[in-house]
């Protein structure tokens, strides 16, 4: 049957299905339409089957890829996808970008309806939840055929992709909390003191860290700040989490049924973090703190490595560096951008292999992606000249070895909300460290039951 005739069948079939849906008033069917941009779900389904059949007859394998990155990150990823497509004519990549907060909702609905992706982007800390829901598959059975070398990935980052021994994702990069130092302001104050790693030498203890910042506070111009950064929502809990991780303690008990958050280690970490605001070293409620830093009005800025590209593009003379280690071991809040292998109705073994191959290629050719500041998970990329030429990365890329994500539990997002709602209260003086952590303990233990 010719393509034109098949398309007529598609339209007719769509009309029948839509009539049925109108009679039944199926809400799930309406939700399933969301991932498809402006096209009728039923017509899209049948036409897609036609296209896949024609592709198979022509020797081309079609892969459906969903991503959730916007802005510059979306541009970098698109460049990589286009490069892969041009160098792999035997595969056709259908790329759908869902760049809003509903990505995971549409992701779940699309897979449930049989119209989801073969491969998709996401976060490693969702893997336990998605595994239990049947939304991701183990990549290991297809790894050898797809040419995946697990040893080529940073093992700390790769471990975030492994659940119960199964490789449920290929890591693309890590995103971590770091600090930015304004070299010009520190030089003016004669405080650009660098250690062997080329970053600010804050000392090795909480007391030395505070002493350095207080010394700068005394020397700085009146119209500048020592540290800027958010004091609500994410930045406070991520900074505290970095310090807490340095104590060597972990959030959950060994059996995962209770939390250690109200421990002495947690208290001392949060007291140190909150003291920065209390002492006026990190003032609360500074609006547009990134612009304050770019305007040379702050010596330090607490943010994430995803801001490195913007700072470099602005032409600023800065150092991007890890949160200083003041306790027993290096640690920093972080997470992993990954590629999932997803189940899809009518999916062939060949499509699964090509999906894994595509994801692995993107991860092992991610210098383009790293332009935004993300740290590639693949060690070969970090060692490449293309990556090294980006600059500013050598002073924080080591964080890959010790970045600490939240625990891989199925309600990790609810735990994040507990942190976001409570930890800033200690930063802003609205509640004591003891009360904040007691409330966190109660709420997290309730989630774990």
């Amino acid at each position: 049957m010719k393509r034109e005739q098949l398309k007529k069948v598609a339209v007719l079939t769509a009309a029948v299905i839509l009539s049925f849906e109108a009679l039944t008033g199926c809400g799930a069917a309406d939700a399933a339409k969301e991932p498809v941009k402006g096209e009728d779900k039923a017509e899209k389904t049948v036409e897609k089957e036609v296209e896949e059949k024609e592709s198979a007859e022509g020797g081309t394998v079609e892969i459906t890829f969903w991503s959730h990155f916007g802005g510059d990150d979306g541009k970098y990823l698109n460049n990589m996808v286009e490069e892969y497509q041009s160098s792999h004519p035997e595969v056709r990549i259908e790329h759908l970008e869902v760049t809003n907060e509903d990505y995971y909702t549409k992701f779940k609905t699309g897979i449930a309806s049989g119209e989801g992706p073969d491969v998709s982007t996401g976060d490693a800390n969702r893997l336990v939840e998605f595994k239990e829901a049947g939304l991701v598959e183990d990549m290991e059975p297809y790894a050898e055929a797809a040419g995946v070398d697990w040893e080529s990935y940073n093992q700390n980052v790769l471990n975030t992709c492994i659940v119960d021994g199964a490789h449920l994702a290929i890591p693309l990069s890590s995103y971590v909390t770091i600090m930015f130092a304004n070299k010009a302001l520190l030089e003016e104050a004669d405080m650009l003191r660098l250690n062997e790693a080329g970053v600010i030498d804050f000392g090795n203890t909480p007391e030395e860290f505070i002493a350095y910042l207080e010394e700068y506070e005394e020397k700085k111009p009146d119209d500048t700040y020592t540290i800027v950064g958010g004091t609500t929502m994410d930045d406070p809990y991520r900074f505290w989490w970095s310090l807490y991780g340095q104590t060597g303690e972990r959030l959950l008990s060994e059996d995962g049924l209770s939390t250690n958050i109200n421990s002495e280690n947690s208290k001392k970490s949060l007291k140190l973090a909150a003291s920065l605001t209390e002492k006026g070293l990190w003032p609360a409620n500074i609006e547009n703190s990134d612009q304050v830093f770019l305007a040379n009005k702050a010596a330090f800025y607490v943010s994430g490595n995803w801001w490195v590209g913007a700072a470099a593009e602005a032409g600023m003379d800065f150092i991007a560096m890890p949160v200083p280690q003041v306790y027993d071991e290096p640690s920093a809040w972080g997470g992993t951008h990954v590629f999932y292998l997803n189940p899809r109705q009518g999916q062939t073994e060949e499509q699964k292999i090509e999906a894994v191959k595509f994801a692995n290629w993107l991860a092992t050719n991610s210098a383009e992606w790293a332009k935004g500041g993300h740290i590639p998970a693949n060690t070969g990329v970090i060692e490449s000249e293309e990556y090294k030429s980006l600059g500013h990365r050598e002073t924080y890329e080591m964080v890959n070895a010790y970045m600490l994500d939240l625990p891989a539990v199925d309600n990790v997002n609810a735990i994040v909300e507990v942190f976001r709602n409570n930890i800033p209260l200690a930063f802003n003086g609205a509640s004591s460290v003891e009360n904040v952590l007691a409330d966190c303990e109660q709420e997290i233990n309730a989630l774990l039951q």
Side-chain angles (χ1 to χ4, degrees):
M1 186 181 292
K2 294 182 179 179
R3 181 177 178 85
E4 290 77 7
Q5 293 173 309
L6 286 168
K7 283 193 174 182
K8 290 179 181 177
V9 173
V11 174
L12 178 60
T13 306
V16 173
I17 294 175
L18 286 173
S19 297
F20 176 75
E21 288 177 353
L23 290 171
T24 58
C26 180
D30 290 339
K33 297 176 188 176
E34 292 184 42
V36 181
K37 293 184 177 179
E39 295 187 39
D40 178 80
K41 168 179 173 286
E43 182 173 351
K44 178 74 174 179
T45 301
V46 180
E47 289 194 14
K48 183 174 178 60
E49 290 176 355
V50 172
E51 290 169 355
E52 288 183 348
K53 182 176 183 294
E54 291 178 342
S55 293
E57 290 172 351
T60 301
V61 180
E62 183 171 290
I63 301 299
T64 301
F65 172 48
W66 286 16
S67 67
H68 67 300
F69 300 111
D72 286 340
D73 285 345
K75 179 182 69 175
Y76 300 142
L77 183 60
N78 266 321
N79 291 342
M80 294 158 63
V81 172
E82 289 174 5
E83 182 180 350
Y84 184 85
Q85 184 66 91
S86 65
S87 61
H88 295 76
E90 74 280 6
V91 179
R92 187 172 74 176
I93 307 298
E94 181 182 327
H95 185 192
L96 176 64
E97 300 171 83
V98 185
T99 57
N100 57 45
E101 295 178 357
D102 294 330
Y103 174 70
Y104 281 121
T105 299
K106 295 184 177 184
F107 170 86
K108 295 174 184 178
T109 303
I111 294 175
S113 69
E115 291 198 3
D118 295 295
V119 60
S120 58
T121 61
D123 299 281
N125 61 21
R126 304 295 292 265
L127 284 170
V128 170
E129 172 194 351
F130 292 166
K131 177 178 181 289
E132 293 179 357
L135 301 175
V136 295
E137 293 189 9
D138 187 2
M139 290 184 167
E140 185 57 37
Y142 315 102
E144 183 176 356
V148 179
D149 177 11
W150 299 118
E151 296 297 320
S152 70
Y153 292 94
N154 179 284
Q155 293 305 295
N156 181 55
V157 179
L158 179 64
N159 286 341
T160 67
C161 301
I162 301 173
V163 178
D164 298 330
H167 287 84
L168 296 183
I170 286 177
L172 171 60
S173 62
S174 62
Y175 46 93
V176 296
T177 285
I178 61 174
M179 292 180 69
F180 294 81
N182 184 316
K183 293 176 67 176
L185 288 180
L186 293 174
E187 284 177 342
E188 287 176 10
D190 194 26
M191 293 191 65
L192 188 63
R193 304 165 190 164
L194 306 182
N195 60 22
E196 293 179 355
V199 302
I200 303 301
D201 187 355
F202 288 108
N204 302 306
T205 68
E207 294 76 17
E208 290 173 335
F209 176 48
I210 293 295
Y212 177 97
L213 296 174
E214 288 182 329
E215 180 183 350
Y216 181 77
E217 182 74 14
E218 288 294 321
K219 294 180 176 180
K220 72 177 182 63
D222 291 338
D223 63 344
T224 63
Y225 303 100
T226 299
I227 301 176
V228 292
T231 53
T232 61
M233 305 299 283
D234 292 321
D235 286 340
Y237 101 72
R238 291 170 178 174
F239 190 79
W240 157 78
W241 179 263
S242 300
L243 298 176
Y244 176 54
Q246 292 178 12
T247 69
E249 187 173 274
R250 296 299 176 255
L251 181 67
L252 302 184
S253 60
E254 289 188 13
D255 60 12
L257 299 178
S258 63
T259 178
N260 299 315
I261 196 172
N262 202 16
S263 69
E264 289 306 311
N265 282 327
S266 183
K267 288 176 183 176
K268 72 179 183 182
S269 304
L270 186 52
K271 285 179 179 178
L272 174 59
S275 73
L276 300 179
T277 301
E278 182 182 353
K279 294 174 182 292
L281 302 171
W282 181 348
N285 304 317
I286 300 296
E287 295 184 0
N288 303 315
S289 52
D290 57 338
Q291 297 306 309
V292 172
F293 184 73
L294 287 177
N296 291 307
K297 296 300 182 181
F300 298 99
Y301 174 45
V302 175
S303 185
N305 60 323
W306 52 85
W307 196 71
V308 170
E313 193 171 302
M316 188 173 194
D317 191 11
F318 68 95
I319 301 173
M321 59 189 183
V323 172
Q325 181 187 342
V326 296
Y327 293 124
D328 299 333
E329 60 186 56
S331 184
W333 173 89
T336 310
H337 289 308
V338 302
F339 297 107
Y340 307 129
L341 175 63
N342 309 108
R344 184 175 61 78
Q345 183 177 336
Q347 188 180 47
T348 67
E349 291 294 293
E350 186 178 16
Q351 284 176 315
K352 290 181 179 181
I353 292 172
E354 291 296 338
V356 175
K357 182 179 178 182
F358 169 63
N360 184 63
W361 187 94
L362 292 177
T364 55
N365 293 271
S366 56
E368 172 75 10
W369 169 255
K371 288 179 178 179
H374 302 292
I375 311 173
N378 188 273
T379 56
V381 177
I382 288 183
E383 294 167 0
S384 70
E385 290 303 318
E386 185 179 2
Y387 174 78
K388 291 178 180 179
S389 69
L390 296 174
H392 297 291
R393 273 70 174 174
E394 68 280 359
T395 51
Y396 71 90
E397 64 191 25
M398 73 287 289
V399 179
N400 257 4
Y402 56 76
M403 71 94 177
L404 182 65
D405 202 345
L406 271 71
V409 293
D410 60 5
N411 51 7
V412 64
N413 278 355
I415 294 175
V416 168
E417 288 306 307
V418 171
F419 290 159
R420 297 177 84 205
N421 293 333
N422 288 281
I423 298 299
L425 299 178
F427 266 69
N428 296 318
S431 185
S432 68
V433 167
E434 290 77 12
N435 287 342
V436 164
L437 293 179
D439 289 343
C440 287
E441 180 182 40
Q442 182 178 6
E443 293 179 37
I444 293 174
N445 279 338
L447 292 170
L448 297 173
Q449 302 307 310

